[in-house]
Amino acid sequence: MAPQTLIELWRGGLCESEHAGHAVVYGPQGPEMIWGQADAVIFPRSSCKMIQALPLVESGAADVAGLTDRQLALACASHSGAALHTQAVATWLKDLGLADDDLRCGAHVPRDPVARRHFTCTEETPCQIHNNCSGKHAGFLTLNRHLKGGPDYIEIDHPVQRAVRATFEEVTQETAAGWGIDGCSAPNFACTIGALARAMQFFAAATPEGGLRENAAVRLRQAMVAFPELVAGEERACTKLMRATGGKVAVKVGAEGVFVAILPDQKRGVALKIADGTNRAAEAAITSILVNLGALDPAHPVVEEFLPTAQRNWRGLETGGMRRAEGFC
């Protein structure tokens, strides 16, 4: 499963670093572009949260609970733990008659600089709502109430996770190659990078008239692009790239160098994995692919931010730059 070099960093006329990986663009007729190996098996990590949220919507649980598009966006989010994220999750739990202790995602210091500074400068400790996956877990709790399952909704044999696995295998059209425990303690199911791109193409091609599952997919992708600040946060690549594409593309990061994109206008799905797990390379690669597909204006400032042709040191001196490797995009 040899990866292909996708992104290079240059300094002084020499290639200083290389980032290899796998990437697939999947269209209505199947794979259209492949770099590396489409059958490389990966953990999608948080890039597949919209798949994990499908049972929440198609089961009717979201409508029974009266969830808004903002909450559906949070169900797909890896948020920064800013006040707009944590307050929304806290309200969601309260509406369910639940509290922070009902979550099973664990707590960590948030990424948002204001929220992080608060915990750094006080003796307070973060709660589980500050976890970047708390929106997904609020969605799990909402589905769990609908399914009348037990409190430990993250267990592999729990009705919630059985529903998630069945949905994951159906939209990827693969039996999960295995599973591992994600950072938020929920199961994460492995698949090939090609299958993940195929699942994103399902989201891209779905229509409101296409049946229960397609309708659910449309609602989730539309919620993501309508509220990009909830899916990630200010200064985050997901949020910035969705805004830069004019709300026409849903973009989602996953840990360890994974990114996906949903392009409804083109009915295409994209999935990529940087083999060494480096986030800077994943951001550069997804930016490059979106430019290549015509979904992102190459002159937009976000392109130079995530795929910088000129990198500067602390004195402002140009030291080198980042490039697409030969044969990539």
Side-chain angles (χ1 to χ4, degrees):
M1 300 302 174
Q4 177 178 335
T5 301
L6 305 180
I7 300 295
E8 299 173 342
L9 276 83
W10 285 70
R11 184 185 304 267
L14 297 175
C15 182
E16 182 177 34
S17 300
E18 295 180 343
H19 295 289
H22 310 278
V24 175
V25 176
Y26 206 100
Q29 306 305 316
E32 297 179 346
M33 305 174 198
I34 299 172
W35 299 276
Q37 304 293 324
D39 55 354
V41 176
I42 69 162
F43 284 110
R45 303 298 295 273
S46 287
S47 75
C48 69
K49 282 183 178 175
M50 69 291 288
I51 301 176
Q52 294 172 308
L54 273 174
L56 167 67
V57 181
E58 67 178 346
S59 68
D63 289 335
V64 170
L67 298 190
T68 65
D69 285 348
R70 291 177 62 88
Q71 289 168 312
L72 294 183
L74 277 170
C76 301
S78 297
H79 64 71
S80 296
L84 82 160
H85 304 123
T86 57
Q87 290 171 3
V89 174
T91 299
W92 186 349
L93 293 175
K94 183 178 179 181
D95 290 345
L96 291 173
L98 300 173
D100 195 82
D101 287 346
D102 292 296
L103 295 170
R104 295 290 186 269
C105 53
H108 63 74
V109 175
R111 180 170 178 167
D112 176 74
V114 175
R116 176 179 288 270
R117 190 177 306 117
H118 171 79
F119 291 111
T120 302
C121 299
T122 69
E123 294 184 358
E124 292 184 40
T125 56
C127 301
Q128 292 187 94
I129 60 170
H130 295 97
N131 187 300
N132 71 99
C133 296
S134 63
K136 178 180 81 171
H137 282 250
F140 283 161
L141 284 168
T142 305
L143 176 59
N144 189 38
R145 168 160 294 188
H146 192 71
L147 298 177
K148 298 180 172 58
D152 293 319
Y153 60 85
I154 58 170
E155 296 300 325
I156 188 66
D157 59 350
H158 190 281
V160 167
Q161 299 308 326
R162 290 204 301 267
V164 169
R165 179 170 190 161
T167 302
F168 182 86
E169 293 182 336
E170 287 162 11
V171 297
T172 59
Q173 298 180 32
E174 280 187 356
T175 300
W179 63 278
I181 301 297
D182 213 336
C184 67
S185 298
N188 197 249
F189 301 104
C191 67
T192 64
I193 193 76
L196 184 60
R198 178 166 52 227
M200 295 305 106
Q201 196 277 330
F202 160 74
F203 275 86
T207 66
E209 301 77 31
L212 198 61
R213 175 159 293 170
E214 286 197 28
N215 182 266
V218 170
R219 290 176 64 183
L220 290 166
R221 82 177 188 222
Q222 289 180 342
M224 291 176 69
V225 298
F227 301 102
E229 69 279 2
L230 295 180
V231 175
E234 301 302 329
E235 305 307 318
R236 297 276 302 283
C238 293
T239 297
K240 287 190 170 186
L241 288 170
M242 283 192 277
R243 286 175 176 165
T245 59
K248 294 184 177 181
V249 179
V251 181
K252 185 69 187 68
V253 69
E256 295 300 319
V258 182
F259 254 102
V260 299
I262 299 167
L263 294 80
D265 287 354
Q266 301 183 21
K267 294 182 172 55
R268 283 171 164 155
V270 178
L272 70 88
K273 159 72 176 178
I274 299 299
D276 64 12
T278 304
N279 197 48
R280 70 175 182 187
E283 292 175 348
I286 194 66
T287 299
S288 180
I289 290 173
L290 292 176
V291 169
N292 187 48
L293 294 178
L296 178 60
D297 183 350
H300 195 287
V302 79
V303 177
E304 182 64 22
E305 179 178 355
F306 295 120
L307 189 61
T309 55
Q311 293 182 313
R312 298 184 181 276
N313 66 13
W314 296 112
R315 289 188 63 208
L317 300 177
E318 184 173 334
T319 59
M322 189 177 284
R323 302 181 188 177
R324 305 172 183 88
E326 184 176 354
F328 177 53
C329 290

